[in-house]
Amino acid sequence: MRGPGRLGRDRAGVFTAVLALAAGALGVSAATAAPAAALTPPVGFTADALSTYQTNGIVWTLAEANGVVYAGGTFTGVRPAGSPAGSNTTSAVNFAAFDAATGAPTGCSLSFTRSSGTATVRALAVSPDKSTLYVGGYFNAVNGTAVNGLAAVDTATCRPRTGFAPQFGATVRALDVARDGTVYAGGDFQTVNGTARRFFGAVTATGALTGWNPDADEPGRALRVTPDGNSVLIGGDFFTVGGAASHALAVTSAATGSLTRAYGASFIPASAVIKDIVTDSASGGWYAAGEGAGGNSFDGRLAMGLAGFDQRWRDTCQGATQALRVYQGVLYAGSHVHDCSSMGGFPNQARKHLTAQSVDDPELLGWLPDTNDGIGEPVGPRALTVSSRGGRDFLWVGGEFTTVNGVGQQALTRFANTPDTGAPAAPAVSVSAPRAGEVKVSWRSSLDLDDSLLTYRVYRDGGSTPVHTTTGSSLFFSRPQLTFTDRNVVAGRTYSYRISASDGTNTGGLSPAATVTAASSASPYQEKVLADGADLYWRYDEAGGAFAADTSASGDGGVYVNAPGYRATPSAVAGSAALSLNGTDEYVYSDRLHHYTSPTPYSVETWFRTTSTTGGRIVGYGNNIGTARGHTSSISDKLVYLTNDGRLAFGVQSGAARPTITSSASYNDGAWHHAVATQGPSGMVLYVDGAAVGTNAATGNRSYNGFWRVGGDAMNNAWPNRPTSDYFAGQVDETAVYPAALTAAQVAAHHALAGTPPGPGDSTVTVTPDEDAYVNAAAANTNYNDGQLASRGSTAYLGYLRFTLPSAPAGQVLKSARLAFRTSSDSTAGSAESHSVVPVTGTWTESAVTYNTRPTLSTSVLGTITGASAVSTGYSADLDATALGGALGSATSLALTSSGTDSLRIWSSEATAAYRPQLVLTFGDE
């Protein structure tokens, strides 16, 4: 197997996922957003693997004709989906044909064999009129009839065509058929019909040798006739074509094979070969699959133009691309892609085997079904083809894999353009109460294997109607944080939130409930960090799970790895929890790829607490996110680490040097310590507990794409006083990163605020009704003193509520007021119409009021209820605080009225405590 390769180019950030961050405020109606629609365009196939027969060996090649898919390879039998190896096997010697729509064999049975050696089928191609299937490989008989490397099969009868018997001297690995019937071949052979044809040759439909002779110096692996029939694109191992330099890729005349466009060693590295070529008339392009060896090779995809044969774009991900197909403007690929860092994408991680990208852009799309590497070399998928049958389109995949989407399935699978049945995973949710009147609901966007754009619905307190709806895009390597700020909350009350994700067709399960108690004021420490510009701020207040919410406006969430200790106490900052790390494999990494260009200024801040004598990385920047070998960072920079003797160090990499500041004091004393590392135009400064402990004049650092990590990562031995452990054992709290160098005054202020509890701030008072009732014009003498209140214009309902209002605290005034309520479970409780909240000027009592004895109302309106259209859902209406302020310190009555015909029903004070109406009053300084 060729090793991973890459070819650098200046396209940093091309894989940066589209972010759809949403932050909203809940008023009296739910926020809405355009819904997702499966599949997310331009993806054309679902990621749901369909039931398909399997082979007991490798499938090297696929072709299709008239709703039949042909598979060639190195195998001896086929078996149904779900059957383990060795069971229910039907003989099929290196060739099988399947119904594209059912995945079952068609009955077309041909055996490709050799009298000695191991026979194999390596190439399949169908004539333009679909009447003939050409089969190439290493064999000398078909059903016992002598052939040598290339056979022609009648697709209507599944019989070899008699009289077609060209002689190829070695394995045929690539085939294509021109409109005039010419069959072009590439492979290991050096003679055709006894005449010299080094690695490429062509025969007529009767098997006669043509004059096409590219005369390459190394084997051919791929070829394709251009749509206009004038050229043949060839790919392989070669370095010369017709004696002229052109490595791995060339354009030749379809008539003679003469070289018409060469590509030198600077275009395809010497260590790379081309494994597949496809053309696409709709995009005017052709596409080539690379397989390289070594870190500076080429493993990705090339997009070339049919007019002029120039490069349009280049995908330099590592992972040996084997097969390509274009369908409706999307290039589908079989590979084992594992590292797209050269594209500004994900770092070296576990292999992915099926990908998609637009023919116009190398950015990966949200389509990611997967296989394993499988048997053989192993590289997973080896062949792709698209077939239509029964009004549906199918993408067939062949190779050496033994699983598909984690389920046992060998060598063959297929995907359809419809229906999509896979639901997104439930989001990982974090909630916080950052300040008075706010609950912040944050979540890591979900993953769906064929939909990158998903719709999220936020539900509060077990309600069935979402209080917020938004959309967001995500890919497996980019799961952006999304946020909703609920401002319809009362201090001291506890709220719970659950979120679902939908692809527009399928909705995943609700997330576990995340609960928080609304605060009456903000953390002074938090507010200072945010005011000073933090664009990553992890407070570590989650109760569990893999998602670390970013408190800053950047939405730069993190991922907890290996379940560290959540909500550790005591914390470093009042009102916040801390995170415990085991010093072995627990850490947090940023879910977003960052790019730093020296000498951009920055600051890194965190609190830490430890008694460790083996040191470790506390915070650092690196180019990878994993822990497995090869998946930790090979480049590290901007490190804050602890030495074995407890001293704190801050280092960067600048060229071959590693400028580092190391404290003279030790801090592994079990107490909380505040660390800030800054670098800017004045150099480096390390602060501990609010004071500078060292400086360095270095202003430069390393420029690269990377990820922030807290808790550990690989460390090069060149780092001064390198600790024994790469991972930190202890607690961390309040980690922040800034796009500027904090000043000494700012650092000191942060340290001083850590122990300051939230101040009184604005005070919120919530009062429930002393009395409430409603009246009904249709029953004018009836008193309705029960579990509901109602409002309607015709036939009239009026609802009444009496509250005893507190006096304003000394030195404060009423700043805002809201009537909070919950619609009842009655099927008609919601109302799409407006309802007014007005003062009551007459007298009434809960037990006696009727429509005929109803009190008089003021002509002024304190507030309006709109959009309370869902049942069993909480809503609120803002009231005129100035008008209500005159009633402070006394009892006041409010009425619910309407001029419409759609009734509103809400729970009354007789309902359970959580559903009762409330008057929410907020007082503050004058």
Side-chain angles (χ1 to χ4, degrees):
M1 178 182 68
R2 297 272 178 164
R6 66 180 178 184
L7 181 64
R9 73 188 171 100
D10 186 18
R11 193 181 173 94
V14 74
F15 275 10
T16 303
V18 177
L19 304 183
L21 302 180
L26 175 66
V28 295
S29 62
T32 60
L39 306 164
T40 301
V43 169
F45 293 106
T46 79
D48 306 327
L50 302 177
S51 178
T52 308
Y53 261 64
Q54 312 171 70
T55 71
N56 62 358
I58 298 172
V59 171
W60 295 106
T61 180
L62 293 168
E64 66 82 29
N66 308 315
V68 176
V69 172
Y70 302 96
T74 311
F75 52 84
T76 60
V78 297
R79 65 186 188 275
S83 295
S87 65
N88 303 318
T89 300
T90 301
S91 178
V93 182
N94 301 319
F95 176 88
F98 303 92
D99 185 300
T102 67
T106 64
C108 175
S109 178
L110 298 171
S111 296
F112 290 80
T113 58
R114 284 193 63 81
S115 54
S116 63
T118 301
T120 185
V121 171
R122 288 295 185 123
L124 296 171
V126 176
S127 62
D129 64 3
K130 305 290 186 180
S131 66
T132 305
L133 171 70
Y134 292 95
V135 183
Y138 184 62
F139 50 81
N140 58 21
V142 181
N143 285 2
T145 300
V147 291
N148 196 359
L150 182 63
V153 178
D154 185 288
T155 57
T157 64
C158 189
R159 294 178 181 174
R161 290 193 184 275
T162 58
F164 183 84
Q167 301 293 304
F168 283 78
T171 304
V172 174
R173 297 181 179 273
L175 290 171
D176 199 15
V177 187
R179 287 196 299 267
D180 65 2
T182 302
V183 182
Y184 295 89
D188 300 340
F189 56 85
Q190 298 196 47
T191 63
V192 180
N193 292 351
T195 301
R197 288 291 187 270
R198 293 200 302 167
F199 308 114
F200 291 97
V203 298
T204 67
T206 62
L209 183 66
T210 76
W212 187 72
N213 183 18
D215 190 31
D217 65 332
E218 293 287 347
R221 296 174 180 265
L223 59 81
R224 194 70 57 182
V225 181
T226 56
D228 63 11
N230 295 328
S231 302
V232 180
L233 313 167
I234 63 173
D237 297 43
F238 52 82
F239 289 87
T240 64
V241 176
S246 189
H247 173 54
L249 197 65
V251 182
T252 68
S253 164
T256 66
S258 61
L259 184 66
T260 59
R261 175 66 184 268
Y263 301 94
S266 61
F267 191 76
I268 302 291
S271 56
V273 301
I274 295 298
K275 297 298 292 289
D276 197 12
I277 297 172
V278 296
T279 61
D280 178 47
S281 297
S283 64
W286 57 287
Y287 307 87
E291 180 187 85
N296 294 312
S297 194
F298 174 61
D299 261 3
R301 272 80 65 189
L302 287 174
M304 314 286 288
L306 285 168
F309 305 112
D310 293 323
Q311 178 179 299
R312 291 177 169 177
W313 53 257
R314 180 183 294 246
D315 171 338
T316 60
C317 294
Q318 298 179 18
T321 306
Q322 304 294 310
L324 302 171
R325 277 299 179 272
V326 175
Y327 174 79
Q328 295 184 354
V330 174
L331 179 67
Y332 294 88
S335 69
H336 57 259
V337 60
H338 58 91
D339 186 351
C340 288
S341 56
S342 65
M343 298 279 288
F346 58 91
N348 188 34
Q349 290 295 296
R351 293 177 169 188
K352 307 293 182 182
H353 298 86
L354 293 167
T355 59
Q357 53 209 138
S358 167
V359 294
D360 299 321
D361 196 308
E363 181 177 348
L364 286 183
L365 300 174
W367 185 79
L368 208 79
D370 203 12
T371 72
N372 64 353
D373 286 341
I375 60 177
E377 292 192 16
V379 296
R382 289 284 191 174
L384 302 173
T385 198
V386 175
S387 182
S388 300
R389 194 174 184 92
R392 299 170 73 196
D393 297 336
F394 300 89
L395 175 67
W396 281 68
V397 182
E400 50 195 306
F401 50 85
T402 57
T403 67
V404 177
N405 290 345
V407 177
Q409 175 72 20
Q410 185 170 358
L412 282 171
T413 190
R414 62 201 175 100
F415 306 92
N417 60 337
T418 183
D420 178 18
T421 61
V429 181
S430 175
V431 293
S432 62
R435 51 184 61 88
E438 292 184 7
V439 165
K440 188 174 182 180
V441 185
S442 301
W443 63 97
R444 189 187 190 203
S445 49
S446 297
L447 182 63
D448 187 294
L449 296 182
D450 48 31
D451 297 281
S452 55
L453 180 66
L454 301 176
T455 295
Y456 298 91
R457 295 179 176 89
V458 182
Y459 299 87
R460 187 175 72 176
D461 295 338
S464 58
T465 301
V467 295
H468 183 70
T469 301
T470 191
T471 58
S473 291
S474 59
L475 298 168
F476 81 93
F477 55 85
S478 179
R479 306 271 298 277
Q481 174 177 312
L482 302 175
T483 298
F484 158 61
T485 301
D486 187 353
R487 294 188 173 91
N488 187 18
V489 296
V490 177
R493 178 177 286 188
T494 298
Y495 298 89
S496 68
Y497 299 85
R498 303 181 75 183
I499 303 176
S500 69
S502 173
D503 62 15
T505 299
N506 311 285
T507 300
L510 285 167
S511 64
T515 302
V516 67
T517 299
S520 59
S521 58
S523 159
Y525 182 91
Q526 167 198 269
E527 296 300 278
K528 180 61 174 172
V529 168
L530 296 175
D532 285 343
D535 59 6
L536 182 156
Y537 183 18
W538 297 338
R539 303 203 71 194
Y540 309 120
D541 288 341
E542 287 76 24
F547 173 56
D550 178 17
T551 302
S552 84
S554 298
D556 200 353
V559 178
Y560 292 117
V561 178
N562 293 322
Y566 305 98
R567 290 191 175 176
T569 56
S571 62
V573 172
S576 176
L579 186 73
S580 286
L581 300 164
N582 64 5
T584 303
D585 61 0
E586 294 173 353
Y587 62 99
V588 191
Y589 70 84
S590 57
D591 212 6
R592 180 187 300 170
L593 184 70
H594 298 259
H595 183 76
Y596 282 90
T597 302
S598 178
T600 302
Y602 64 91
S603 299
V604 183
E605 176 178 40
T606 197
W607 289 78
F608 70 95
R609 176 173 177 257
T610 186
T611 57
S612 172
T613 57
T614 56
R617 285 177 53 145
I618 303 174
V619 184
Y621 185 70
N623 68 338
N624 213 323
I625 59 177
T627 53
R629 183 179 180 182
H631 297 169
T632 53
S633 294
S634 59
I635 303 172
S636 289
D637 190 36
K638 307 171 186 65
L639 266 61
V640 176
Y641 61 95
L642 203 69
T643 65
N644 286 353
D645 58 2
R647 292 181 295 153
L648 196 66
F650 165 41
V652 299
Q653 187 172 358
S654 181
R658 285 180 166 80
T660 303
I661 303 167
T662 305
S663 70
S664 58
S666 295
Y667 301 100
N668 56 346
D669 55 4
W672 280 108
H673 295 285
H674 179 230
V676 179
T678 72
Q679 188 177 25
S682 299
M684 303 165 60
V685 185
L686 176 62
Y687 301 87
V688 181
D689 295 336
V693 297
T695 61
N696 189 301
T699 60
N701 50 68
R702 189 159 183 172
S703 303
Y704 64 100
N705 295 327
F707 306 84
W708 288 104
R709 289 177 53 141
V710 176
D713 195 0
M715 286 190 69
N716 190 288
N717 288 330
W719 287 106
N721 301 301
R722 186 199 187 283
T724 300
S725 176
D726 293 345
Y727 290 81
F728 173 74
Q731 288 82 48
V732 291
D733 199 5
E734 307 292 327
T735 301
V737 179
Y738 303 79
L742 294 177
T743 66
Q746 288 173 312
V747 172
H750 290 201
H751 179 255
L753 285 170
T756 305
D762 292 346
S763 58
T764 300
V765 177
T766 301
V767 292
T768 55
D770 301 321
E771 295 186 85
D772 55 21
Y774 78 97
V775 297
N776 179 1
N781 293 312
T782 302
N783 170 252
Y784 291 90
N785 176 21
D786 55 23
Q788 297 186 63
L789 303 177
S791 170
R792 184 174 65 190
S794 178
T795 300
Y797 293 144
L798 293 95
Y800 303 101
L801 306 98
R802 179 178 289 111
F803 298 94
T804 298
L805 304 184
S807 299
Q812 293 190 327
V813 296
L814 183 64
K815 296 178 66 176
S816 66
R818 288 186 294 115
L819 177 65
F821 60 90
R822 185 180 182 90
T823 52
S824 76
S825 58
D826 189 295
S827 62
T828 64
S831 176
E833 297 178 347
S834 296
H835 297 259
S836 298
V837 181
V838 301
V840 177
T841 57
T843 60
W844 63 281
T845 62
E846 178 182 78
S847 59
V849 65
T850 68
Y851 186 80
N852 281 340
T853 64
R854 66 189 185 277
T856 55
L857 306 180
S858 170
T859 58
S860 63
V861 176
L862 292 177
T864 303
I865 297 169
T866 57
S869 56
V871 303
S872 299
T873 301
Y875 294 98
S876 71
D878 290 330
L879 304 182
D880 184 340
T882 301
L884 200 60
L888 292 177
S890 63
T892 190
S893 293
L894 306 177
L896 306 180
T897 72
S898 175
S899 59
T901 58
D902 188 13
S903 64
L904 172 70
R905 292 180 178 272
I906 70 173
W907 294 116
S908 73
S909 59
E910 279 73 27
T912 183
Y915 295 168
R916 294 171 185 165
Q918 295 178 325
L919 199 58
V920 183
L921 308 174
T922 300
F923 298 93
D925 294 337
E926 298 184 57

